[in-house]
Amino acid sequence: MLKQDLRIVFMGTPDYAKGSLEALVDNAFNIVGVFCQPDKPKGRGMKLMAPPVKEYAISKGIPVYQPVKLRNNEEVKEILNTLNPDLIVVVAYGKILPKYVLDFPRFGCINVHGSLLPNYRGAAPIQWSVINGDKVTGVTTMFMDEGMDTGNMITKAEIEIDALDTYGTLHDKLMVLGANTLVKDLERLVANAGKLESTVQPEECTMAPMLEKDNTKLDFTKNVDTLVNLVRGTNPFPSAWCMIDEEKTYKIYLAERVELEEDYAEAKLGEVVYLNDKKNILAVKCNNGYINLKGIKPAGSKLMNCGDYIRGGKIQTGELFIWYLMKQLK
């Protein structure tokens, strides 16, 4: 089999997926069509913006399809019949593939997942690997089935997580690793006339649920390292957050353990104990020490060093970070 004989439909939406699509195009694979999420309104003007995969596909003259749904969609069935793919490649598409799509290509559907399966099945594997303080992560390519990231595994590729990695930096590293791993897998598939060896996943697994308000708040009753990892794992999106009251809410993009000369033994957990605008220190007491909320974005303002915010006089020592029921949040 030759690369040009392998008809591939690619399904993906964000930058992470674009990396794999670019790699396939650069390596002369035959992409006959691309599926991605519909355009979404963004920015102050709420103008419709095309996802990165769509922009790239159009620049390469590849047909793009953006169905609102796949399930029970006769138009999608007609598109697949017209494109007649031998293989479907899925990378961060954002939609669950119904059985008729999974069964359509003769060589199956291959997914690039951002974890070492069966660890971190689900929507946010990269974020949770950082939040949980893991030292190693990677990507797994797999044949898709009807389960949530439960298909037979083709290849695992590992990478170390640096102590300074954020979700953003690790995302970019895994995007490249995933793209390179996918290309190698498909080159083997072509060389072996459509066959790829795979292994069944172990039943024991961990999950990586979507990050929401409730699981991204900074709970200062926890250890400093736990909170720092939460900030790292949610930077740049969706970001960790905390609040003093409803008028003083903050997104936190950079945090670190800080050693203070004075021991604030009488301070409450969550209390602002030390401010130093020149050294960029906004120290809050935690369960086993003090955390510096160094990169801070107050509600309605821009991201800034905490020193700049301190100089504005809008936060004082002795203030206490608390949180309300979610329904009370603006």
Side-chain angles (χ1 to χ4, degrees), residues 245-282:
D245 56 45
E246 289 188 88
E247 278 66 50
K248 300 179 77 171
T249 63
Y250 307 89
K251 290 185 176 181
I252 307 300
Y253 291 86
L254 180 62
E256 60 188 5
R257 176 185 289 274
V258 62
E259 302 297 333
L260 302 177
E261 293 182 3
E262 184 177 346
D263 182 12
Y264 297 90
E266 300 302 317
K268 298 177 181 179
L269 296 178
E271 184 176 339
V272 179
V273 296
Y274 179 78
L275 299 172
N276 189 318
D277 63 316
K278 293 181 179 179
K279 294 183 179 181
N280 282 315
I281 298 176
L282 193 168

Side-chain angles (χ1 to χ4, degrees), residues 53-124:
V53 163
K54 177 183 179 179
E55 291 182 339
Y56 177 77
I58 289 174
S59 74
K60 296 298 180 180
I62 303 171
V64 175
Y65 307 93
Q66 297 176 275
V68 174
K69 67 173 186 175
L70 297 181
R71 194 173 302 277
N72 299 321
N73 190 326
E74 292 300 322
E75 184 179 357
V76 170
K77 294 179 181 179
E78 291 178 7
I79 292 169
L80 291 177
N81 283 325
T82 300
L83 296 177
N84 192 28
D86 301 302
L87 178 73
I88 293 177
V89 172
V90 182
V91 185
Y93 178 35
K95 290 184 182 294
I96 296 174
L97 271 58
K99 190 174 187 302
Y100 81 87
V101 176
L102 293 170
D103 292 343
F104 193 95
R106 59 176 177 150
F107 298 140
C109 298
I110 290 179
N111 175 244
V112 181
H113 187 73
S115 77
L116 299 174
L117 290 170
N119 293 326
Y120 299 123
R121 293 176 181 168

Side-chain angles (χ1 to χ4, degrees), residues 37-55:
Q37 294 269 29
D39 297 358
K40 292 185 178 180
K42 291 185 179 180
R44 291 185 178 180
M46 296 300 286
K47 293 183 179 180
L48 286 177
M49 300 291 290
V53 163
K54 177 183 179 179
E55 291 182 339

Side-chain angles (χ1 to χ4, degrees), residues 38-317:
D39 297 358
K40 292 185 178 180
K42 291 185 179 180
R44 291 185 178 180
M46 296 300 286
K47 293 183 179 180
L48 286 177
M49 300 291 290
V53 163
K54 177 183 179 179
E55 291 182 339
Y56 177 77
I58 289 174
S59 74
K60 296 298 180 180
I62 303 171
V64 175
Y65 307 93
Q66 297 176 275
V68 174
K69 67 173 186 175
L70 297 181
R71 194 173 302 277
N72 299 321
N73 190 326
E74 292 300 322
E75 184 179 357
V76 170
K77 294 179 181 179
E78 291 178 7
I79 292 169
L80 291 177
N81 283 325
T82 300
L83 296 177
N84 192 28
D86 301 302
L87 178 73
I88 293 177
V89 172
V90 182
V91 185
Y93 178 35
K95 290 184 182 294
I96 296 174
L97 271 58
K99 190 174 187 302
Y100 81 87
V101 176
L102 293 170
D103 292 343
F104 193 95
R106 59 176 177 150
F107 298 140
C109 298
I110 290 179
N111 175 244
V112 181
H113 187 73
S115 77
L116 299 174
L117 290 170
N119 293 326
Y120 299 123
R121 293 176 181 168
I126 304 174
Q127 292 99 319
W128 282 106
S129 66
V130 179
I131 291 170
N132 289 336
D134 294 351
K135 304 300 182 184
V136 176
T137 187
V139 297
T140 305
T141 54
M142 64 175 177
F143 286 112
M144 298 178 69
D145 60 19
E146 292 185 85
M148 175 67 75
D149 303 320
T150 56
N152 287 4
M153 300 178 295
I154 302 167
T155 301
K156 286 186 180 184
E158 293 188 358
I159 190 173
E160 292 185 359
I161 302 177
D162 187 84
L164 296 179
D165 268 327
T166 63
Y167 161 54
T169 61
L170 188 59
H171 166 283
D172 292 349
K173 293 176 184 179
L174 291 178
M175 178 177 67
V176 174
L177 181 63
N180 292 339
T181 304
L182 175 64
V183 167
K184 291 177 182 178
D185 285 348
L186 296 198
E187 286 176 342
R188 292 205 318 275
L189 183 144
V190 169
N192 295 326
K195 296 180 180 180
L196 275 177
E197 292 185 359
S198 63
T199 57
V200 176
Q201 287 193 44
E203 291 185 7
E204 186 176 351
C205 70
T206 57
M207 302 303 296
M210 187 176 296
L211 291 169
E212 300 175 343
K213 275 279 188 180
D214 190 52
N215 56 18
T216 56
K217 71 173 181 280
L218 291 172
D219 179 351
F220 295 103
T221 66
K222 296 183 178 180
N223 293 341
V224 176
D225 290 345
T226 298
L227 297 177
V228 170
N229 288 340
L230 177 60
V231 172
R232 291 170 55 220
T234 56
N235 176 359
F237 180 82
S239 77
W241 64 277
C242 53
M243 64 189 302
I244 291 173
D245 56 45
E246 289 188 88
E247 278 66 50
K248 300 179 77 171
T249 63
Y250 307 89
K251 290 185 176 181
I252 307 300
Y253 291 86
L254 180 62
E256 60 188 5
R257 176 185 289 274
V258 62
E259 302 297 333
L260 302 177
E261 293 182 3
E262 184 177 346
D263 182 12
Y264 297 90
E266 300 302 317
K268 298 177 181 179
L269 296 178
E271 184 176 339
V272 179
V273 296
Y274 179 78
L275 299 172
N276 189 318
D277 63 316
K278 293 181 179 179
K279 294 183 179 181
N280 282 315
I281 298 176
L282 193 168
V284 180
K285 186 174 181 180
C286 304
N287 185 33
N288 66 336
Y290 307 98
I291 185 172
N292 179 22
L293 306 183
K294 194 171 183 179
I296 188 168
K297 184 182 182 302
S301 186
K302 63 182 180 179
L303 174 63
M304 63 183 78
N305 288 326
C306 65
D308 294 331
Y309 186 65
I310 293 168
R311 280 189 288 275
K314 296 182 179 180
I315 191 165
Q316 306 294 328
T317 57

